[in-house]
């Protein structure tokens, strides 16, 4: 899907691509979190899969189009390394604000649902576990998210003016001039594939996304099945994580300026490794899970902002092919995340039911693996950047 988006970005301007992606998200997202129309208790799983599949495909295309188009604007807007960090940090900060709003709304809806069933807001003994009764909550939440997102997307597209792009560079032929008038070599997609730094940054971004996405995916199961916490914690703990990440994002520019990209990323890894060690050594965290969430949120924010800044550094002045770089990074992280989730689910100790006694320890160690284990792999990739810094080694060579 990111490859298709990259091709579209190469042939069309960024804002129309972003607008098309936004429309796809608006039309598909509410259906993903709504009950299957025409389905009942006897409906087979394959029928539900056929129903939800097209909506998920359209949503993934729209999400990739919007994200890649938005990220590819950063190298076009600024050229300074510190300004790239600042823009990336601000982008992440507003992403966190959006996530905080979503989790805050989720907590409110779950709280109101519990109050309507018990008659006492402080009573959380009834309906502590997620189930079919919570479908209306997530449906209403998705509709609210789409409504607010549509308003801000409209403001973005009305208020943003894109610079006119230079003509797309074609492959040279016998009619091409021997001496180009361009000030520097223009990189096409095939040229990026020859750059070792492209793979270094790509693998680092992939491991970063594995940590961020898998920790967000399995934190709910860890809280519910391993720590046996009420379902309101699946809203409050991510909320704490995003608040921690929000405040951490404002430290990215001074931290990058003082110790550099690589060591800033390493600081984020240390925070995540501290979280993983805490989870591994303590079976029942209790209220201490809030402190652990602060570590995880700050660490994830640090490595995500820094890895995106490294990607912008890699692109540098070659913004005409920046969408391909972001698209390739996005494709690798989606494939890796999909394979990782499949691997984890294949090891699930309760294949015939949602959860059993064995899954208590299972999700405990899954959280340790997706944070601590992947962080070790990211550290090894980071070491390669210390030995071979990010730079294009083949850009001045003749290109066939």
């Amino acid at each position: 899907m990111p490859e298709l988006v990259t091709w579209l970005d190469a042939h069309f301007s960024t804002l129309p691509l972003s607008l098309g992606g936004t429309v796809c998200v608006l039309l598909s997202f509410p259906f993903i979190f709504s009950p299957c129309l025409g389905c009942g208790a006897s409906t087979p799983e394959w029928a539900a899969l056929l129903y939800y599949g097209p909506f998920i495909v359209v949503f993934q295309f729209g999400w990739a189009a919007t994200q890649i188009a938005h990220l590819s604007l950063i190298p076009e807007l600024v050229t300074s390394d510190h300004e790239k960090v600042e823009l990336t940090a601000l982008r992440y900060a507003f992403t966190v604000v959006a996530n905080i709003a979503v989790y805050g709304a989720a907590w409110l809806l779950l709280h109101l649902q519990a109050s309507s069933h018990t008659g006492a807001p402080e009573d959380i003994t009834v309906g502590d576990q997620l189930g079919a009764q919570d479908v209306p909550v997530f449906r209403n939440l998705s509709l609210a998210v789409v409504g607010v997102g549509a308003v801000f997307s409209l403001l973005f597209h009305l208020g943003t003016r894109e610079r006119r792009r230079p003509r797309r560079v074609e492959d040279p032929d016998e009619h091409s001039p021997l001496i180009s008038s361009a000030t520097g070599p223009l990189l096409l997609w095939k040229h990026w594939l020859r750059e070792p730094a492209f793979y270094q940054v790509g693998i680092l971004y992939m491991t970063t996304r594995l940590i961020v996405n898998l920790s967000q995916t399995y934190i709910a199961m860890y809280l519910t099945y391993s720590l046996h916490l009420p379902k309101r914690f699946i809203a409050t703990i991510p909320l704490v994580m995003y608040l921690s990440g929000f405040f951490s994002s404002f430290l990215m520019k001074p931290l990058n300026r003082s110790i550099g990209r690589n060591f800033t990323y390493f600081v984020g890894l240390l925070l995540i490794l501290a979280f993983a060690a805490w989870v591994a050594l303590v079976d029942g965290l209790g209220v201490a899970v809030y402190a652990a969430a602060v570590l995880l949120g700050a660490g994830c924010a640090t490595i995500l902002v820094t890895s995106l800044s490294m990607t912008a550094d890699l692109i540098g002045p070659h913004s005409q092919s920046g969408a391909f770089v972001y698209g390739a990074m996005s494709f690798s992280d989606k494939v890796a995340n999909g394979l990782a989730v499949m691997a984890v689910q294949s090891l699930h100790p309760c294949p015939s039911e949602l959860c059993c006694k064995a899954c208590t320890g299972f999700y405990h160690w899954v959280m340790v693996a997706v944070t601590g284990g992947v962080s070790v792999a990211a550290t090894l990739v980071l070491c390669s950047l210390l030995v071979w810094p990010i730079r294009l080694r083949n850009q001045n060579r003749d290109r066939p």
Side-chain angles (χ1 to χ4, degrees):
M1 198 66 69
E3 278 64 29
L4 175 59
V5 173
T6 301
W7 182 88
L8 291 173
D9 185 81
H11 291 77
F12 302 96
S13 58
T14 301
L15 289 180
L17 179 63
S18 175
L19 180 60
T22 302
V23 172
C24 290
V25 170
L26 295 178
L27 294 178
S28 60
F29 190 74
F31 290 96
I32 298 175
F33 287 91
S34 299
C36 174
L37 298 177
C39 297
S42 59
T43 302
E45 290 186 355
W46 63 265
L49 178 64
L50 291 178
Y51 174 83
Y52 286 108
F55 294 117
I56 295 175
V57 170
V58 173
F59 170 76
Q60 287 294 335
F61 170 80
W63 177 253
T66 305
Q67 178 174 257
I68 292 173
H70 198 257
L71 283 171
S72 62
L73 287 174
I74 294 178
E76 293 186 7
L77 293 175
V78 295
T79 56
S80 169
D81 290 344
H82 297 302
E83 289 177 341
K84 290 175 184 177
V85 175
E86 186 174 15
L87 272 185
T88 305
L90 286 174
R91 180 183 183 274
Y92 182 80
F94 280 98
T95 302
V96 170
V97 170
N99 288 324
I100 289 173
V102 171
Y103 281 105
W107 174 84
L108 180 62
L109 290 173
L110 291 172
H111 185 74
L112 292 176
Q113 182 199 45
S115 300
S116 64
H117 280 82
T118 63
E122 65 276 6
D123 186 3
I124 59 171
T125 59
V126 178
D128 278 348
Q129 302 301 316
L130 288 174
Q133 74 278 2
D134 299 307
V135 170
V137 171
F138 290 97
R139 179 199 60 207
N140 296 336
L141 181 62
S142 67
L143 292 174
V145 167
V146 166
V148 176
V151 172
F152 282 96
S153 296
L154 180 63
L155 293 175
F156 169 75
H157 287 94
L158 291 178
T160 304
R161 294 292 180 267
E162 186 180 9
R163 293 184 301 178
R164 183 179 295 275
R165 289 189 176 188
R167 293 181 59 187
R168 190 167 62 92
V169 179
E170 303 290 344
D171 291 336
D173 55 22
E174 66 271 14
H175 302 293
S176 302
L178 294 177
I179 300 177
S180 174
S181 60
T183 58
L186 297 178
L187 269 68
L188 302 177
W189 65 269
K190 59 184 179 182
H191 301 144
W192 285 107
L193 301 179
R194 306 173 190 172
E195 296 291 343
F198 174 78
Y199 298 99
Q200 287 178 283
V201 176
I203 296 174
L204 188 69
Y205 180 77
M206 181 186 69
T207 55
T208 300
R209 278 295 184 181
L210 280 172
I211 296 171
V212 174
N213 293 347
L214 293 180
S215 63
Q216 292 175 353
T217 299
Y218 288 104
I219 188 68
M221 277 76 85
Y222 171 67
L223 296 172
T224 304
Y225 300 124
S226 295
L227 299 183
H228 305 291
L229 296 173
K231 64 184 179 184
R232 62 187 175 90
F233 277 81
I234 68 173
T236 56
I237 293 301
L239 183 62
V240 170
M241 290 170 55
Y242 281 118
L243 282 172
S244 174
F246 175 75
F247 291 112
S248 300
S249 64
F250 293 105
L251 301 176
M252 292 300 102
K253 184 178 180 180
L255 200 59
N256 274 267
R257 189 187 296 272
S258 59
I259 63 176
R261 296 271 199 276
N262 294 335
F263 287 103
T264 300
Y265 190 93
F266 185 65
V267 169
L269 287 179
L270 288 179
L271 294 174
I272 296 172
L273 287 170
F275 167 85
W278 198 346
V279 171
L281 297 175
V282 181
D283 290 332
L285 287 177
V287 294
V289 71
Y290 285 104
V294 171
L295 292 176
L296 182 59
C300 287
T302 302
I303 63 173
L304 184 56
V305 170
T306 307
S307 64
L308 286 172
S309 301
M310 289 178 175
T311 307
D313 291 342
L314 174 68
I315 295 171
H318 309 286
S319 58
Q320 77 284 347
S321 56
F324 169 76
V325 177
Y326 283 115
M329 305 293 178
S330 179
F331 176 75
S332 66
D333 99 70
K334 284 178 171 55
V335 171
N337 277 277
L339 293 175
V341 171
M342 290 176 60
V344 170
Q345 294 306 118
S346 67
L347 299 174
H348 197 282
C350 316
S352 60
E353 53 184 315
L354 181 62
C355 189
C356 58
K357 291 183 178 180
C359 73
T360 299
F362 175 74
Y363 287 117
H364 173 90
W365 291 109
V366 164
M367 280 303 298
V368 175
V370 300
T371 53
V374 183
S375 292
V376 172
T379 303
L380 297 177
V381 181
L382 184 64
C383 291
S384 74
L385 292 177
L386 295 175
V387 179
W388 300 287
I390 299 174
R391 72 172 183 270
L392 301 183
R393 293 169 172 81
N394 299 319
Q395 64 174 336
N396 295 322
R397 298 179 185 176
D398 295 335
R399 301 190 185 279

